[in-house]
Structures are given as structure tokens and as C-alpha cells.
Amino acid sequence: MRVLTCLTAALLGVAAISAQSPAAFAEADQSWQTCIGVTTPPDDKVAACSAVIDAKRETGSKLAAAYCFRGHGLTEKRQYDAALSDLNESIRLDPFSACALTNRGRVYAFKRDLDRAIADYDEAISINPAFALAYNNRGDAWVNKGDLDRAIADFSAAIEHNPSLAIAYGNRGYAYHRKRDMARAVADYTMEIKLRPDVLAYINRGNAYRDSEQLDRAAADYGEVIKLAPTDARGWRNRGMIKLFQGDTRAGLADYDKALQYDPADAYSWNNRGQAKMRLGDKAGAIADFRKALEISPGLSTASDSLKRLGAAQ
């Protein structure tokens, strides 16, 4: 599942300070713009927001926004305690910032403190009942608590308030998939792909097609993953599995060759390639692959059972 961060500042300008030189003003403005930039890398964001905060020129909602954005940067750097400290300060300075509350909820969610995350999302929604991002993120928390119906309700609310929020369709599709409602899952993944085609969306829709036994469509979606990210092993190994299901053993073997080229630490790919080799009569190759699978995952019963069938020691 996926949660989004909030990247909106309460103030987007820089107040003129008459005693400031033009060069100092330009430097301060550059720090501010870098701090609030949506595409600013986390390290640069933290540095720029720190410069704004340490300059001690800003107060009120603008200072709150600097803490909020630095908190976002620290979250992306997985420095959750430092991020939480900044977001607490942002909320102290501006208690009605739905954006800061949503970002703090996201940190709590990453720390697996789901009740606090939900409380922050609740507060953000009470401040801004049309805040689609808060609904999406609260839905993610409900999924992680195992309450799929509440999750679906929140994802639906996110979509109602922002019909172009692709991630909400993907998340709702995932929740429907978990409920084994494949038709709705596919419909939501399809909308996500229409709005923002990416690797995960195609993988998820491919999985839904696979689980509803629409194998040709599943293979096509995994093929799209390969086109978008040819060095991502997931597209190759998922399509390889479909090929084996369909009895196209040589094509499956070729896909697992590629999967292992890009992710040699995946025990299941070694096992499944071993299955393909065993079907094709390559006993030595199959034994080697099963042993490699067990080296990575000693409890993988399909690999150990296959070695027994081949009369080989582990």
C-alpha cells in the first residue's frame, strides 16, 4: 500500500525585509524556494529548510511551513524521530495545518503507530473535509489494521474529492483484491494506469488478472512492466510464472533467466527456473537451481521436494 506526503505551503512568497541587502534577500528567497520545492531532493530540502529556520527571520505560518517541509525531507530520509520533532513544532506553530497533520500521520504510519496516524488523519479531515490526501492515507492505515471496508470507504472519499488522484484508485484496487473482488480491483487498477501508468500499477493489475485466471491479460501486463523497467526482475519473474502455468516452458525459462540476471537473491526464481529445467529434462541444471534456492531460503519445501524426486541430496 502507498501513502502520499503533503507538499503545500501555507505561504509561497517571501516577505520583504527593508534592512536586508538585495544579495541577502535573493539568498533567503532561494533557500525558501528550495525548501518548498516539490521536486527538491530530500538532502537539499533539509538543508534549505534548515537555512530558513536558522536565519530566524520567519514567524507564524511561514516558519511552520519550513518545519513541515523539513519534516517531509527527514521522513524521506527515513529519519522518523527527527521528522516527528519538526512536524510537532510545525503543528504547535500552526495547529490548523491539515497538511502538517497529514505528514505527521504518515510518520506515525511508517513507525507502525497506526492509531496515532489515524488520529492525525482524523484531525486533518476535520479541518479540511475535502482533503483527499488525508482520506487516502487514512485508508492505508485501515488496510494495515485489517479493516478493508473502512479502507475502501476512505479511498472512495479520496476519489470523490479528487477524481484524478491515481494512487487512491490503486489503493482501493488493492483493498478489493484483498477481498477477492477481482472485477472491482481490475477496474480500479485500470483507472490508475489511465491516470498514471507505472510499474506497480501494471504489476498489481497483472496479479488481479492472474488470480482471476485471465492468464493472457496477466502476461500482457507483466510485459508492460518489462517495457517500462527492463531491469526490474518483477516483470520477468511474474511473466515467467504465467508462461509456466500456460505450459510454455521454454518461454518461462527464458524469463526466469532474465529475472535472475537482475535479482539473483530471489529463491522463488531459482526454484521456478529449476521446475522449468526439470520439465525440459535438464536434470543437472534443475538440481543446481533447487540447491541455490535452498541456499537462499532453506525452508523452501518445493525445492527440497523436487530434489528428493530427482534423487539428489540437498
Side-chain angles (χ1 to χ4, degrees), residues 4-5 15 52 89 97 112 126 128-129 134 146 185 230 273 282 284:
L4 287 181
T5 192
V52 172
E89 180 63 11
S97 172
R112 308 306 297 171
S126 72
N128 182 359
R273 191 176 73 169
D282 181 1

Side-chain angles (χ1 to χ4, degrees), residues 294-312:
L294 288 170
E295 177 185 320
I296 297 167
S297 180
L300 190 58
S301 60
T302 53
S304 57
D305 290 346
S306 295
L307 284 175
K308 289 177 184 177
R309 287 199 301 273
L310 290 169

Side-chain angles (χ1 to χ4, degrees), residues 94-295:
D94 185 2
F96 299 103
S97 172
C99 183
L101 284 160
T102 297
N103 283 349
R104 190 174 71 177
R106 182 170 178 256
V107 174
Y108 281 134
F110 282 134
K111 288 169 70 71
R112 308 306 297 171
D113 192 343
L114 297 176
D115 290 333
R116 282 187 175 178
I118 288 170
D120 273 352
Y121 298 140
D122 287 346
E123 184 67 19
I125 290 166
S126 72
I127 292 168
N128 182 359
F131 194 12
L133 204 58
Y135 286 107
N136 175 79
N137 290 6
R138 190 173 69 178
D140 177 79
W142 286 123
V143 167
N144 286 310
K145 284 177 72 72
D147 193 333
L148 297 178
D149 290 331
R150 278 186 171 179
I152 287 168
D154 271 350
F155 296 138
S156 297
I159 290 165
E160 178 184 349
H161 292 298
N162 183 358
S164 64
L165 187 61
I167 195 172
Y169 290 99
N171 284 341
R172 190 173 68 177
Y174 176 82
Y176 279 132
H177 194 163
R178 286 271 300 272
K179 287 173 69 73
R180 312 304 296 174
D181 188 342
M182 297 305 169
R184 284 195 173 100
V186 166
D188 274 348
Y189 291 140
T190 298
M191 181 58 71
E192 180 186 22
I193 289 166
K194 179 179 178 181
L195 291 168
R196 190 193 61 195
D198 67 8
V199 164
L200 188 58
Y202 277 112
I203 288 174
N204 286 341
R205 191 174 69 175
N207 293 345
Y209 280 136
R210 179 199 64 207
D211 292 347
S212 56
E213 300 184 1
Q214 300 180 66
L215 299 186
D216 286 338
R217 288 182 170 181
D221 273 354
Y222 299 141
E224 290 299 320
V225 174
I226 291 166
K227 290 177 186 176
L228 288 170
T231 62
D232 188 325
R234 291 175 296 176
W236 297 104
R237 65 178 173 239
N238 279 313
R239 192 177 69 177
M241 179 175 57
I242 298 300
K243 295 299 183 184
L244 294 186
F245 284 158
Q246 294 177 316
D248 192 349
T249 304
R250 293 192 183 280
L253 178 63
D255 277 353
Y256 278 113
D257 284 344
K258 298 292 287 188
L260 288 167
Q261 176 184 339
Y262 300 121
D263 183 10
D266 182 56
Y268 292 98
S269 292
W270 287 103
N271 174 76
N272 292 356
R273 191 176 73 169
Q275 300 294 337
K277 288 180 178 180
M278 188 164 61
R279 287 185 192 178
L280 293 170
D282 181 1
K283 181 178 178 180
I287 289 171
D289 279 358
F290 293 138
R291 285 175 174 164
K292 183 66 176 179
L294 288 170
E295 177 185 320

